[in-house]
Amino acid sequence: MRTLFNGELSVAYGQMYIDGRTDPDEGPEAGLHACFVGQRAGLCGAAVPGHLFLLTGMHTGSVPLTVELHETEPSLDLDGWEDIVETSFRAASDDTQLVEWGGGGSSLGLPPGTYRVRYHCRGMNEAHDAVRSDDEPVLDEYLLRFWPAPPERDRIVKETSSSAAYWHRFASELPPPPTPEELAEARRLTREKEEQEARELRERVERKEWGGRLPSDRLRNIAGNVAGMVELDAALVHAIDEAGPGVQRAMARWAAHRSCDVAELSGVDWIARGLAELDRGLPFSPPLDDTERTWDLLFSDPQVPDTAVTLPDGTPNASQQAMALPALTDAAASDPLQAALDALYAAAAAHGTGWRDLFVEARSAFPETAHAPLPPEGRPRRHAAATVVAHLEWRPDEEPRQES
């Protein structure tokens, strides 16, 4: 026999504990009901694996406690103790703790393994709900004995006090523990709830990112400057997405013309030629077929003016021509939605602080996109002026659209 603890242990609410779990934060919470469910005996609750819930007569104070480890089952001491119960316990940790109420404790040095536990109590009635100071007489005391043994049903060995009888009745009247099927169903429901909450959170975040409305799958997967467009006018972005590829392609070309017009690039011969090729759906001829050459020529061609603009985000003195040119090349993208959003974003940058007027023009030129700002939920509404100007779609055999 080896004595693992012999002294006084502080208790509160008549509780002290043995914890042999590898991680006390995992698994079921070791509360009063959880530790005694399914047991016939009170006083020593072992229903939570790796945990013992020990009850005392003393409410608050310190109680004498001895903890012993035996190699084999010790003989019963029925005369020396008033109340005795037995249960089984498995220590998974190599650092099983004797724990006070509130969390303080010390290592018992109990090796990992499966044990039978016998809990001996004396003086529970005398100490019932008492509060004891350190210098006051001892009212109740306890002995806990461990020995290696396979798991068995808990049992009441001896019952004398009314306090023990109360706790035995408490344990026996608890609802039966859930079946494995019920536990599996509970875990499934919990998992579904967590997944649903995660989906709802992602949806709320996405709604916020997209101006209060969820994007279509196509819009969600679009690249380029869609985020910049959403920041400027989320309602217009969603409306362009809904308008369909014909309107998108026409809007991309329109934005390219408006961008080049405002930056005074439409009269530059190679840019005018590029606009005409864009309108006819033709590949760009040199220099627009080479990105590096295009940008070199933009900054070296004496035909190209040099004006500055304050960008929509407030950045001053940006090259208006450098902001405008991408609208032409972006408008030729193979994806019409990508083309419309990127060309319109470049045109907005070229218009600088006048980008809002450009978007008003866009809604007038393309009534399919003339939606009022979207509420968080609900159907979009048309502006009253949306039908004033109808847009004309270009066909490859048409002449370039002339802007007034």
Side-chain angles (χ1 to χ4, degrees):
M1 186 273 290
R2 181 158 61 95
T3 300
L4 305 181
F5 179 85
N6 185 27
E8 293 202 359
L9 190 73
S10 294
V11 300
Y13 299 95
Q15 300 173 20
M16 55 185 177
Y17 321 95
I18 302 289
D19 204 309
R21 296 174 291 180
T22 53
D23 187 350
D25 294 328
E26 291 187 357
E29 184 178 350
L32 177 64
H33 286 70
C35 286
F36 285 93
V37 67
Q39 291 194 185
R40 294 172 295 189
L43 302 183
C44 182
V48 173
H51 188 84
L52 294 179
F53 195 117
L54 304 170
L55 294 168
T56 66
M58 180 72 61
H59 182 281
T60 304
S62 60
V63 297
L65 171 67
T66 301
V67 182
E68 298 174 351
L69 174 60
H70 294 255
E71 293 182 2
T72 59
E73 180 180 355
S75 59
L76 279 170
D77 184 4
L78 294 175
D79 294 332
W81 298 92
E82 297 172 348
D83 297 288
I84 304 173
V85 297
E86 284 185 7
T87 188
S88 293
F89 173 74
R90 175 169 177 76
S93 171
D94 57 4
D95 186 28
T96 294
Q97 296 278 314
L98 175 61
V99 184
E100 300 173 344
W101 187 91
S106 58
S107 177
L108 279 179
L110 181 70
T114 302
Y115 297 92
R116 191 67 174 169
V117 183
R118 187 177 292 156
Y119 185 42
H120 309 68
C121 309
R122 182 165 51 221
M124 291 193 73
N125 279 351
E126 291 78 4
H128 178 63
D129 277 348
V131 176
R132 174 179 174 252
S133 301
D134 292 342
D135 57 350
E136 293 182 333
V138 169
L139 298 176
D140 53 343
E141 51 190 314
Y142 302 89
L143 169 65
L144 194 63
R145 285 176 167 165
F146 292 86
W147 68 93
E152 291 183 49
R153 189 82 164 86
D154 68 290
R155 70 184 185 115
I156 301 170
V157 178
K158 182 180 179 181
E159 177 187 322
T160 301
S161 69
S162 58
S163 292
Y166 169 84
W167 288 114
H168 297 329
R169 186 168 59 252
F170 162 80
S172 65
E173 292 177 353
L174 286 174
T179 65
E181 293 76 17
E182 289 171 337
L183 289 173
E185 177 66 8
R187 287 193 293 269
R188 184 187 67 80
L189 293 175
T190 298
R191 184 171 61 253
E192 287 184 354
K193 181 181 179 183
E194 291 173 348
E195 291 172 352
Q196 177 64 25
E197 289 173 349
R199 285 194 296 271
E200 291 174 354
L201 176 59
R202 289 194 298 270
E203 183 175 304
R204 287 196 298 272
V205 171
E206 190 173 34
R207 283 181 185 275
K208 185 176 181 180
E209 291 175 346
W210 288 89
R213 175 179 171 180
L214 288 178
S216 67
D217 288 341
R218 185 157 178 258
L219 187 57
R220 184 183 286 113
N221 295 319
I222 211 77
N225 289 312
V226 63
M229 277 294 297
V230 169
E231 187 174 347
L232 293 179
D233 194 330
L236 181 56
V237 171
H238 290 292
I240 293 171
D241 178 38
E242 294 173 351
V247 174
Q248 293 159 4
R249 184 62 69 188
M251 177 173 276
R253 294 166 175 166
W254 177 88
H257 278 272
R258 294 296 293 115
S259 185
C260 291
D261 286 349
V262 75
E264 301 179 22
L265 292 175
S266 298
V268 177
D269 54 11
W270 54 275
I271 292 179
R273 184 169 62 253
L275 288 169
E277 291 164 346
L278 174 70
D279 292 344
R280 291 180 169 83
L282 301 175
F284 287 130
S285 59
L288 289 169
D289 61 345
D290 183 315
T291 301
E292 184 175 352
R293 184 180 175 191
T294 296
W295 284 102
D296 287 344
L297 189 58
L298 181 73
F299 293 111
S300 62
D301 188 343
Q303 299 179 81
V304 176
D306 181 14
T307 53
V309 68
T310 298
L311 299 181
D313 66 2
T315 301
N317 299 320
S319 167
Q320 190 173 31
Q321 288 67 40
M323 297 299 104
L325 181 62
L328 172 57
T329 53
D330 290 345
S334 59
D335 185 321
L337 177 59
Q338 186 82 69
L341 294 176
D342 284 353
L344 194 58
Y345 184 76
H351 279 72
T353 56
W355 65 270
R356 292 180 180 83
D357 294 335
L358 173 71
F359 285 4
V360 170
E361 289 183 44
R363 285 184 165 97
S364 295
F366 301 91
E368 297 89 342
T369 68
H371 297 163
L374 291 169
E377 296 291 343
R379 299 183 63 82
R381 298 179 297 275
R382 293 273 184 151
H383 281 305
T387 58
V388 173
V389 181
H391 91 277
L392 299 176
E393 288 193 28
W394 289 292
R395 296 193 301 272
D397 57 346
E398 285 184 331
E399 289 295 320
R401 189 173 187 173
Q402 298 299 316
E403 304 291 336
S404 57

